[in-house]
Amino acid sequence: MAGRIRDVDIALVRERSPIADVIGEHIQLRNAGGGNLKGLCPFHDEKSPSFNVTPERGMYFCFGCSEGGDVITFVEKIEHLPFSEAVERLAQRAGIQLQFEQGGYAPRRDHGERARLIEAHRVAAEFYADKLLGPDAAPGRRFLSERGFERADAETFGVGYAPNEWEALARHLMGRGFTADEIVKGGLAKQGRRGPIDRFRGRLIWPIRDATGDVIGFGARKLLDSDDGPKYLNTPDSPLYKKSQVLYGIDLAKREISKRAQAVIVEGYTDVMACHLAGIPTAVATCGTSFGEEHIKILRRFLLDQAEFRGEVVFTFDGDAAGQKAALRAFADEQKFVTQTYVAIQADGLDPCDLRVKQGDAAVRDLIASREPLFQFAIRSTIARYDLRSNEGKIAALDAAAPIVAAIKDAGLRKRYAIDLDRWLGFMDERFVIQRIGDAARAQQGRPQRAPKAAPLDPSVRVEGELLKLALQRPALLGPRFDALAPETFTAANHVILHKVIVEAGGVAQAKAGGREWLERLMAHAHEEGARALVTRFAVEAIHIEAHAEERYARDMLIAAELMPLDRAIAQLKSRLERLNPVERQQDYNKLFGELVALEGQRRVLRDGAAGS
């Protein structure tokens, strides 16, 4: 059994795994100033970005859920891996061959379960792609050709063919060293009487990749009349593949989604291919399930949608009743996006793939360009079910559409759609329609209560926090003056813990130039519960100053920190003096008064020094 990974190799993995690049494979990051990056947290659902990354120090921290750490920690949490497997995954990404303190190089069979299953899927994808070129795959090649796809297109998307045999893939994988249990657990095969049998046989195959580009499952399309299975068959849920959390094409589309602030949701694998080839590289599709909340979370991380309503999500559905129903289901989740949401439906019912075959690439682009706001589509689709030639029909349509309008969170947008609804129904009585919508709003239940406003932060606590951020991020600016601060300078519980860590690490005098080595030293001395999270948080949280003013700001924070114990001591002395009778206890009064004068003098010297610096 291999021993532990050498510390020097772990350090090399961190060095060659830029944290912004690794995290950027999962979420979009934007410049937040001061060398920091910001995005929507992948570990909890949030409306505005609170996930911060500091490439200079190789750390991340979310101020919404308090998750934080370095690049290895991130891979551990996002991939649900133990530490050693996260290091192995990053090492493979960076082209580093790990050595172990006992047992030499780690053989592939000693890799963790996820790494083994990822490798099995990679080998399977290569196997299927190779088989597409064989004579038995002629029906698959014909299927692609009839839909306007060439060989180069199939190679771009990794399309393959599953031989119409019971054990073709299973034999191939076991010949490459994978066990029957691994093949079955990954969903690549099913358990038969005499061993594993292939899950996909005689079908066209699409590899389904996660955002990082790893193959985690497959989608398979029926080709043969003798196949009595469903038209499309997907990998079952496995340790790698959760259909509610997968978007086909996200690996190819994610950068364009971030760049264009647009995502196009289509219904099938060939629709994704058609859109990308027609000049819509932001297209993705769900895999055997309806578009839902987990898919929204994936897209929001790359859209980085915020209250500015700059981005857009476009749903494309067939023009039939089922397509309209799907669009209305999407409307139910619409306001979980903080962005503009549209629907694009081809009047003749053609999906993007068929549209491209019959009318060309430009028609696909025109379909997306002709998108209709999803609110408008939902309202108009609802009232279209009623006979608007009678007053009874109009009232019924109004009552059916009113809850949709009432659910619109933006008050201005809600009023505009109320006016539109009045016009579409033909009442020509805006006050009546708005009143009816108001009744629907009041009838709706389960509205969340507003969170109470946070209490204003104590100025001294703010100073403590800024000083500790400087100690972790810019220790050279503080020097021995910080180390000379009395422990009682820090009063907030978290600040007391963090200051203790700094002291036990030898103070900022041990920081040298700061950076990653200083943070690792602090981590090694962060023994109290929650201390490591505090180190991460204060290493990432932005210091709100301009770069040219850092020295002055650090000096001001030090002076403010030195003044705080004096201010507290002066306040205590004044309180005691107020309670003393200067006639009856003249000696005690004069002593305390002398102490007060001395402290006031110390404070004046500090303040004068601050003013003159």
Side-chain angles (χ1 to χ4, degrees):
M1 183 176 178
R4 67 187 297 272
I5 304 170
R6 298 188 311 170
D7 289 342
V8 65
D9 282 1
I10 295 173
L12 184 62
V13 166
R14 285 195 179 100
E15 180 184 331
R16 294 189 184 175
S17 303
I19 193 166
D21 292 349
V22 173
I23 293 179
E25 293 177 350
H26 297 270
I27 64 173
Q28 184 191 3
L29 295 170
R30 289 182 178 164
N31 192 342
N36 283 356
L37 302 170
K38 182 176 281 191
L40 289 167
C41 180
F43 302 119
H44 83 288
D45 195 19
E46 60 179 3
K47 285 293 185 183
S48 57
S50 58
F51 185 87
N52 287 254
V53 180
T54 306
E56 178 188 357
R57 289 174 288 281
M59 306 291 280
Y60 74 91
F61 189 83
C62 175
F63 292 94
C65 68
S66 298
E67 286 284 1
D70 62 9
V71 67
I72 297 174
T73 311
F74 180 83
V75 173
E76 283 183 82
K77 293 184 184 301
I78 199 74
E79 302 286 2
H80 305 290
L81 298 176
F83 177 83
S84 59
E85 290 186 30
V87 174
E88 289 177 1
R89 185 160 174 78
L90 286 169
Q92 185 178 15
R93 180 184 182 277
I96 299 169
Q97 191 168 24
L98 297 174
Q99 286 188 316
F100 289 66
E101 291 186 344
Q102 301 170 5
Y105 291 104
R108 293 297 300 178
R109 64 177 177 274
D110 285 336
H111 281 205
E113 177 186 89
R114 182 180 175 84
R116 293 279 296 167
L117 295 181
I118 288 286
E119 180 66 7
H121 279 73
R122 185 190 68 78
V123 173
E126 289 181 350
F127 173 84
Y128 288 139
D130 181 63
K131 294 299 180 183
L132 184 62
L133 306 178
D136 293 342
R141 294 194 297 272
R142 186 165 57 251
F143 177 94
L144 292 172
S145 178
E146 289 172 353
R147 284 154 182 79
F149 302 123
E150 300 176 356
R151 178 174 172 177
D153 304 329
E155 291 175 352
T156 297
F157 290 89
V159 183
Y161 174 74
N164 191 24
E165 303 174 27
W166 288 102
E167 302 164 356
L169 177 64
R171 282 197 309 270
H172 180 75
L173 290 174
M174 288 192 286
R176 295 285 294 267
F178 297 97
T179 67
D181 286 345
E182 288 173 331
I183 297 169
V184 172
K185 193 166 190 176
L188 296 166
K190 298 182 286 186
Q191 189 63 50
R193 290 183 179 180
R194 291 175 291 183
I197 57 175
D198 293 355
R199 180 169 294 277
F200 308 118
R201 300 186 300 277
R203 286 176 173 253
L204 202 60
I205 299 290
W206 282 267
I208 299 168
R209 295 181 170 89
D210 64 14
T212 68
D214 285 331
V215 180
I216 57 173
F218 295 94
R221 208 278 187 188
K222 181 166 70 171
L223 296 171
L224 306 174
D225 293 337
S226 58
D227 187 340
D228 59 358
K231 180 190 282 190
Y232 281 95
L233 185 64
N234 283 31
T235 295
D237 280 2
S238 74
L240 297 183
Y241 181 87
K242 301 287 187 295
K243 64 183 178 182
S244 64
Q245 301 172 12
V246 174
L247 285 170
Y248 175 72
I250 192 65
D251 58 309
L252 298 175
K254 64 180 183 181
R255 299 203 183 281
E256 287 297 324
I257 289 173
S258 297
K259 180 180 175 182
R260 303 186 184 202
Q262 179 202 65
V264 175
I265 316 300
V266 297
E267 291 198 305
Y269 307 124
T270 56
D271 292 331
V272 171
M273 294 175 68
C275 283
H276 280 249
L277 295 171
I280 308 293
T282 58
V284 294
T286 59
C287 300
T289 185
S290 300
F291 188 86
E293 189 168 348
E294 293 300 319
H295 301 118
I296 291 174
K297 291 178 182 178
I298 295 170
L299 286 180
R300 291 196 67 235
R301 294 169 198 156
F302 294 109
L303 284 167
L304 192 55
D305 55 338
Q306 300 182 63
E308 292 89 341
F309 281 79
R310 290 175 298 188
E312 62 181 42
V313 175
V314 182
F315 292 92
T316 67
F317 298 103
D318 291 345
D320 57 14
Q324 291 196 10
K325 187 175 180 181
L328 291 173
R329 278 201 308 270
F331 169 80
D333 282 329
E334 193 277 342
Q335 292 182 98
K336 291 177 182 174
F337 286 110
V338 188
T339 191
Q340 300 174 89
T341 314
Y342 298 86
V343 62
I345 293 182
Q346 182 69 9
D348 53 15
L350 296 177
D351 60 30
C353 181
D354 291 336
L355 183 62
R356 178 172 178 262
V357 171
K358 294 187 176 183
Q359 300 182 32
D361 290 348
V364 177
R365 295 193 296 271
D366 290 344
L367 169 64
I368 305 304
S370 65
R371 61 201 180 277
E372 177 183 5
L374 189 53
F375 282 133
Q376 178 176 308
F377 174 81
I379 296 167
R380 299 200 73 159
S381 296
T382 298
I383 64 177
R385 301 198 301 261
Y386 297 88
D387 181 359
L388 302 184
R389 293 171 298 180
S390 67
N391 287 329
E392 289 82 359
K394 290 180 180 180
I395 291 293
L398 173 57
D399 287 343
I404 299 175
V405 181
I408 299 174
K409 294 177 181 177
D410 183 279
L413 196 60
R414 188 167 62 246
K415 184 175 181 181
R416 292 309 311 169
Y417 274 115
I419 294 170
D420 286 342
L421 179 58
D422 173 54
R423 179 166 51 86
W424 294 332
L425 292 173
F427 279 116
M428 308 306 291
D429 188 346
E430 292 175 7
R431 291 183 61 183
F432 171 70
V433 171
I434 290 172
Q435 179 183 352
R436 204 81 167 194
I437 291 169
D439 293 341
R442 285 185 287 275
Q444 289 174 351
Q445 301 296 320
R447 293 178 179 172
Q449 294 182 347
R450 287 187 178 180
K453 290 185 178 180
L457 191 65
D458 186 323
S460 63
V461 173
R462 190 191 73 83
V463 170
E464 294 173 22
E466 289 296 291
L467 201 56
L468 289 168
K469 284 191 285 184
L470 286 164
L472 269 63
Q473 300 178 32
R474 300 287 187 270
L477 295 175
L478 300 179
R481 195 166 172 181
F482 176 88
D483 292 339
L485 292 172
E488 56 267 23
T489 301
F490 300 91
T491 58
N494 286 344
H495 298 168
V496 171
I497 293 171
L498 189 53
H499 179 251
K500 185 179 178 182
V501 171
I502 296 171
V503 170
E504 291 180 354
V508 297
Q510 297 294 322
K512 298 179 182 178
R516 196 170 296 180
E517 290 184 11
W518 170 228
L519 296 180
E520 288 175 1
R521 183 181 181 89
L522 291 171
M523 286 292 195
H525 289 83
H527 304 303
E528 289 190 41
E529 184 178 355
R532 293 176 67 86
L534 289 174
V535 172
T536 304
R537 173 185 170 183
F538 281 79
V540 169
E541 188 169 353
I543 305 171
H544 301 292
I545 50 169
E546 299 294 335
H548 67 272
E550 284 184 347
E551 290 187 14
R552 173 63 183 268
Y553 186 75
R555 186 165 59 246
D556 289 347
M557 289 298 104
L558 281 167
I559 291 170
E562 290 166 340
L563 282 169
M564 287 188 305
L566 284 175
D567 289 338
R568 286 194 287 267
I570 288 171
Q572 290 174 357
L573 280 175
K574 286 182 175 179
S575 177
R576 291 174 62 187
L577 282 169
E578 288 175 359
R579 295 196 299 270
L580 281 179
N581 188 316
V583 176
E584 295 177 359
R585 300 183 61 182
Q586 185 177 10
Q587 185 175 356
D588 292 338
Y589 186 90
N590 289 341
K591 179 183 177 182
L592 290 177
F593 188 78
E595 292 176 11
L596 178 62
V597 170
L599 288 175
E600 293 277 15
Q602 291 180 43
R603 183 168 65 174
R604 188 163 50 252
V605 169
L606 275 175
R607 289 189 181 279
D608 290 347
S613 59

